[in-house]
Amino acid sequence: MRICAHTVFFACIAFANAGILLQHAPACPEHYGVQAYAHPELCDQFFLCTNGTLTVETCENGLLFDGKGAVHNHCNYHWAVACGERKADLTPYSTPGCEYQFGIYPDSAECSTSYVKCAFGIPQQEPCTPGLVYDERIHGCNWPDLLQPFCNPEAVVGFKCPTKVPANTQSAKFWPYPRFPVPGDCHRLITCVEGNPRLITCEEGKVFDDQNLTCEDPELVPHCGHA
């Protein structure tokens, strides 16, 4: 897909109705591939050229067009789009559990390690990565210590950071962010940030070595080689 701007192209099709094939519009600037063009006046509509065929598309309820969206049909969540002077109809069409047909919402009034993702008005509960909690401010998951006092990092992670770390320990080598193993877990570790625990997951293809407290290639950590 290519996102473009073309003044003459826009001027010729600005009066087109959404959702129809344009019979008397100028040819698409490119004859092959898929290109999406922002509507000059409306933020919830856009022009789509598919192998030279031009249509006017309308984003689903809760979505707007910014040329970057990949939530559904080239559109993005409305809170992520800067419309500028373009107008948008943000009237919610609600269903149980979904304010808009497409959106991301908290699943509880309490601190939660999951959230609700709506598509076509159907809510689906989604888990955060272990150790994270839903942060409504960013519409995504975040470290629990960044949401205090709403969230209790110790309760989420299941670990209390010590106030002192002996100087001769492996953990102390990572001061001021001492590390600790998670018993029986070959993929995660705990690091303390300003006295708050954070559960860290090793990158894909790595496992956690509980001796040196780092993520390593599996062949270097025999007891985790097949984890």
Side-chain angles (χ1 to χ4, degrees), residues 160-226:
K160 182 178 177 62
C161 291
T163 55
K164 294 183 179 180
V165 178
N168 61 343
T169 62
Q170 190 70 17
S171 294
K173 294 182 179 181
F174 297 93
W175 189 266
Y177 307 111
R179 294 181 176 184
F180 304 91
V182 179
D185 195 326
C186 284
H187 298 283
R188 300 181 181 93
L189 65 140
I190 293 171
T191 186
C192 292
V193 179
E194 297 181 353
N196 296 303
R198 290 185 177 183
L199 186 64
I200 309 294
T201 301
C202 292
E203 65 183 282
E204 187 174 357
K206 301 287 186 177
V207 295
F208 181 66
D209 185 341
D210 58 5
Q211 298 302 308
N212 61 24
L213 303 183
T214 59
C215 295
E216 305 285 355
D217 292 327
E219 57 267 24
L220 301 178
V221 191
H223 67 281
C224 284
H226 301 288

Side-chain angles (χ1 to χ4, degrees), residues 39-46 59 63-66 75 81-89:
H39 193 290
E41 298 176 356
L42 302 176
C43 200
D44 56 353
Q45 292 187 11
F46 62 99
C59 294
L63 305 180
L64 298 173
F65 182 82
D66 64 354
C75 297
V81 178
C83 290
E85 298 297 321
R86 294 181 297 148
K87 298 179 180 180
D89 180 5

Side-chain angles (χ1 to χ4, degrees), residues 144-167:
D145 58 278
L146 298 181
L147 281 82
Q148 296 184 94
F150 181 67
C151 288
N152 180 347
E154 294 177 2
V156 173
V157 179
F159 183 86
K160 182 178 177 62
C161 291
T163 55
K164 294 183 179 180
V165 178

Side-chain angles (χ1 to χ4, degrees), residues 51-65:
N51 293 326
T53 299
L54 176 65
T55 56
V56 180
E57 305 287 331
T58 298
C59 294
E60 297 286 346
N61 184 243
L63 305 180
L64 298 173
F65 182 82

Side-chain angles (χ1 to χ4, degrees), residues 4-5 12 15 23 41 50-51 58 73-74 84 119 126-127 132 134 148 151 173 215 219 224:
C4 308
C12 291
F15 296 103
Q23 300 293 341
E41 298 176 356
T50 305
N51 293 326
T58 298
N73 192 26
H74 309 290
E126 299 284 345
L132 301 184
Y134 181 73
Q148 296 184 94
C151 288
K173 294 182 179 181
C215 295
E219 57 267 24
C224 284

Side-chain angles (χ1 to χ4, degrees), residues 102-118:
F102 279 77
I104 294 176
Y105 308 102
D107 64 357
S108 171
E110 307 294 330
C111 180
S112 180
T113 57
S114 59
Y115 57 95
V116 171
K117 184 176 183 179
C118 291

